[in-house]
Amino acid sequence: MPYIPLQEHLPGITGLLEYRKDTAEPIRELTQFLLRGPNSLSEAERELIATVVSSGNNCTFCTTAHTAAADRLLGESNTCNMVKENIETAPLGNKMKALLQIADKVRENGKLVTPELIQKAKQSGASDLEIHDTVLIAALFCLYNRYVDGLATTLPDENSYYNQLAERLVLHGYTRLPQGYDHLKKNNSI
Amino acid sequence: MAYIQVEEQVPGIRSLVLFRPETGKYLYQLVQLLLRGNHSLSEAERELIAAYVSHRNGCIFCTNSHAAAARCLYGSAAFIVDEVLINRTFGCISNKLKFLLQIAGKVQLSGEAVLLEDIAAAKNAGASDIEIHDTVLIAATFSMFNRYVDGLASFTPNDDAIYTEMGKRMVEKGYQLPEQPNK
């Protein structure tokens, strides 16, 4: 049971974003720009950052949702599974590994990001903008994870919810659906 | 020295949002709504929550700037800010704010650390659902800002007078995206 009254058909973050729509808007727009905006990091790579941070923060809803989104974008689930286990041994290039290591430190505390880690990312070809966006995505998911778990939002009843959510995140993105979310009500599904 | 090429001598979050105004504008919109929008919690109380979380995260820039804003807003009761941040004593604030700060402190650690009993204590002390919601979201938002500011090693001034001025500006002008400096 969530700690505040949220719409029952909206598990995880969606119920919170519908609870206070005015604060939801900049959070949604920021996420849309960071994860879907023009960027030299692919959408899949940016979803991996979100996944690694959410997984490290032990946030089940966010981890499952962003894993599903990353898997869909990558067309396979091996990379995401491996990266959650161990960044260093995951099948990724050195730049991405270095960026994910920065993200993982940001997750613990910003002050843990060392000049050596930044140097490693730059030597592997990461630009200032990529480093900036990695840090901000990691920080943003520290917000999301705390928001979702701090108010004890519910998990979806069925795992298929995450697949539908991932489809929405890939095809539509992070902005509010123009028609809202009433179609997710159980007896009303289309 | 910041880890990325931002404007030198521009402190903390300002240097970062000038580097990337496309994301900065949403960050400022969010904090303006949360800390300056109409609310049953006063601006001083909300700045205190922001400073409290930043202090617990060890983010000196955010702690000093939001503590300065809170002192400015509390006026003759500015001592409350040091009581809470430095002495960790809560006798000078209402029970409701004390329990909301306790929730914010849990959120700083992890969302999962917030327990039903923490929420019940705040509700028994008169906290409304929206006050609990906003406390959690402010604490989560500053868990983001603190990591952004420290994760990129942005410039942190160490002169108290600079923060006093900053606090005044945050109270008078609110949170508006800074303009690009002319070159």
Side-chain angles (χ1 to χ4, degrees):
Chain A
M1 272 280 285
Y3 293 148
I4 56 173
L6 304 173
Q7 295 182 71
E8 278 176 27
H9 68 292
L10 300 177
I13 187 67
T14 314
L16 292 171
L17 295 175
E18 288 295 285
Y19 179 80
R20 193 169 169 190
K21 293 197 192 75
D22 62 340
T23 47
E25 199 178 318
I27 297 173
R28 282 181 176 283
E29 293 291 340
L30 175 63
T31 311
Q32 176 68 15
F33 185 84
L34 275 173
L35 297 193
R36 294 290 178 273
N39 206 302
S40 49
L41 297 174
S42 71
E43 293 183 11
E45 286 170 331
R46 288 176 276 164
E47 289 287 352
L48 281 180
I49 299 170
T51 305
V52 161
V53 170
S54 301
S55 168
N57 278 331
N58 208 23
C59 181
T60 305
F61 180 85
C62 298
T63 306
T64 316
H66 293 280
T67 297
D71 287 352
R72 206 187 148 96
L73 287 161
L74 290 165
E76 45 92 2
S77 56
N78 183 45
T79 304
C80 211
N81 277 337
M82 288 188 75
V83 89
K84 283 186 282 184
E85 286 295 312
N86 187 334
I87 294 166
E88 202 48 58
T89 55
L92 294 166
N94 286 338
K95 181 175 88 174
M96 207 50 218
K97 283 183 190 177
L99 291 175
L100 285 168
Q101 276 158 351
I102 290 171
D104 196 45
K105 290 297 174 194
V106 168
R107 181 187 67 76
E108 285 185 63
N109 187 305
K111 290 199 297 280
L112 295 177
V113 180
T114 58
E116 291 74 28
L117 272 176
I118 298 288
Q119 205 49 41
K120 198 171 142 196
K122 288 187 179 176
Q123 278 166 359
S124 317
S127 67
D128 276 13
L129 203 53
E130 288 171 339
I131 290 169
H132 169 278
D133 286 3
T134 297
V135 170
L136 186 51
I137 292 169
L140 174 62
F141 279 84
C142 287
L143 178 159
Y144 273 125
N145 300 157
R146 283 168 170 75
Y147 194 18
V148 163
D149 283 338
L151 288 165
T153 62
T154 54
L155 295 174
D157 292 335
E158 289 156 21
N159 261 345
S160 60
Y161 181 92
Y162 292 111
N163 296 331
Q164 287 164 20
L165 176 58
E167 183 172 297
R168 171 151 53 87
L169 296 181
V170 169
L171 299 178
H172 170 80
Y174 288 92
T175 55
R176 188 172 188 269
L177 287 177
Q179 72 273 30
Y181 298 88
D182 282 351
H183 65 285
L184 295 176
K185 284 180 186 164
K186 271 235 167 86
N187 300 323
N188 211 358
S189 59
I190 41 166
Chain B
M1 269 283 281
Y3 289 148
I4 55 175
Q5 277 214 319
V6 297
E7 200 76 35
E8 271 180 52
Q9 296 304 308
V10 178
I13 186 75
R14 290 176 75 84
S15 68
L16 303 179
V17 301
L18 286 168
F19 177 83
R20 190 94 156 116
E22 300 94 328
T23 48
K25 68 179 176 184
Y26 301 124
L27 294 171
Y28 272 60
Q29 272 173 23
L30 176 62
V31 80
Q32 173 72 16
L33 278 166
L34 280 173
L35 300 189
R36 292 293 177 273
N38 281 333
H39 208 279
S40 50
L41 295 174
S42 70
E43 293 182 11
E45 290 171 326
R46 286 175 279 162
E47 287 285 357
L48 186 61
I49 296 170
Y52 182 68
V53 169
S54 303
H55 185 63
R56 289 178 57 101
N57 274 326
C59 181
I60 293 167
F61 178 80
C62 297
T63 305
N64 288 351
S65 54
H66 292 281
R71 278 190 202 99
C72 185
L73 288 159
Y74 270 117
S76 60
F79 66 91
I80 286 174
V81 179
D82 293 322
E83 284 290 309
V84 168
L85 295 188
I86 297 167
N87 302 329
R88 298 278 171 110
T89 52
F90 302 91
C92 53
I93 57 173
S94 68
N95 264 338
K96 181 175 85 175
L97 185 58
K98 179 177 83 178
F99 288 121
L100 289 176
L101 284 172
Q102 202 163 299
I103 291 172
K106 294 282 190 81
V107 171
Q108 181 264 328
L109 294 174
S110 159
E112 290 177 311
V114 182
L115 304 178
L116 189 57
E117 62 215 57
D118 300 317
I119 302 292
K123 286 190 179 174
N124 285 336
S128 64
D129 287 339
I130 188 75
E131 288 171 343
I132 289 168
H133 169 275
D134 282 19
T135 297
V136 171
L137 185 50
I138 290 169
T141 297
F142 280 84
S143 295
M144 168 180 68
F145 276 119
N146 299 159
R147 284 171 170 77
Y148 186 34
V149 163
D150 281 340
L152 290 166
S154 66
F155 170 52
T156 299
N158 52 19
D159 178 352
D160 284 346
I162 290 178
Y163 290 105
T164 306
E165 272 312 301
M166 217 180 278
K168 265 192 219 161
R169 193 184 63 219
M170 289 151 76
V171 170
E172 284 163 11
K173 300 201 167 154
Y175 296 95
Q176 289 172 25
L177 194 66
E179 284 175 22
Q180 297 287 341
N182 291 322
K183 286 233 166 160

